[in-house]
Amino acid sequence: MAKRPTDIWREHVAEERAERAAGLRSVEDSNFAALYPEPLVVATEHVLTAFEYEVRGFDAPSDGEVFAAIQRVVEGLNDVDGAHDDHDYDTIEREELCEFIDGVLSEAGIDLDGLAARRGIERSEITDQWREW
């Protein structure tokens, strides 16, 4: 099962808090809670959950249906990113989000290499048309 980026982000925050509580990390050396504020994490999680449910409901989807789902998740993440100007998705988060989208689609049995090839793009570019983050 594709691991949600939001789970990874929460793990980072929890590990950092535990290290601070144990005296292994200073406040000055703590940044995960600032990078992943709960409102951003929750909003991201809602978008990812909707995407997972949509993809799980596919039954032999057309390329158009798959790309429509990709567009919805990417535009939803654009909205989250735009609503949290002071805490937007950085390079690592963007990579994790794209890997998650790829993983969910792959687990649903969608041939992403074929899907991308039929569009004349690389697999790594399936979100690019809509992505603002």
Side-chain angles (χ1 to χ4, degrees):
M1 180 173 215
K3 188 164 187 174
R4 285 183 183 199
T6 51
D7 292 340
I8 296 167
W9 304 343
R10 283 189 174 119
E11 288 170 9
H12 288 316
V13 171
E15 288 170 10
E16 186 174 79
R17 284 187 180 139
E19 289 173 2
R20 282 180 49 205
L24 301 172
R25 182 184 292 258
S26 69
V27 172
E28 296 80 24
D29 191 32
S30 300
N31 65 348
F32 284 122
L35 286 174
Y36 307 122
E38 195 62 15
L40 173 74
V41 174
V42 169
T44 302
E45 196 162 58
H46 286 301
V47 172
L48 298 180
T49 298
F51 175 68
E52 284 179 299
Y53 282 121
E54 180 176 9
V55 171
R56 285 186 192 145
F58 282 163
D59 184 29
S62 67
D63 287 0
E65 290 171 310
V66 175
F67 274 109
I70 294 168
Q71 180 178 357
R72 278 188 286 280
V73 70
V74 170
E75 289 178 347
L77 293 168
N78 288 345
D79 291 344
V80 172
D81 190 55
H84 297 85
D85 289 331
D86 55 337
H87 299 98
D88 52 3
Y89 305 129
D90 288 324
T91 302
I92 292 172
E93 291 81 24
R94 290 189 293 265
E95 290 174 4
E96 291 169 340
L97 291 165
C98 288
E99 287 174 14
F100 178 79
I101 291 167
D102 184 291
V104 168
L105 293 168
S106 295
E107 288 170 5
I110 295 167
D111 174 16
L112 292 175
D113 291 320
L115 180 77
R118 290 187 293 278
R119 270 273 167 113
I121 60 175
E122 297 293 321
R123 179 179 182 155
S124 62
E125 299 173 317
I126 64 169
T127 64
D128 289 358
Q129 181 177 350
W130 307 281
R131 191 159 53 97
E132 297 172 1
W133 32 274

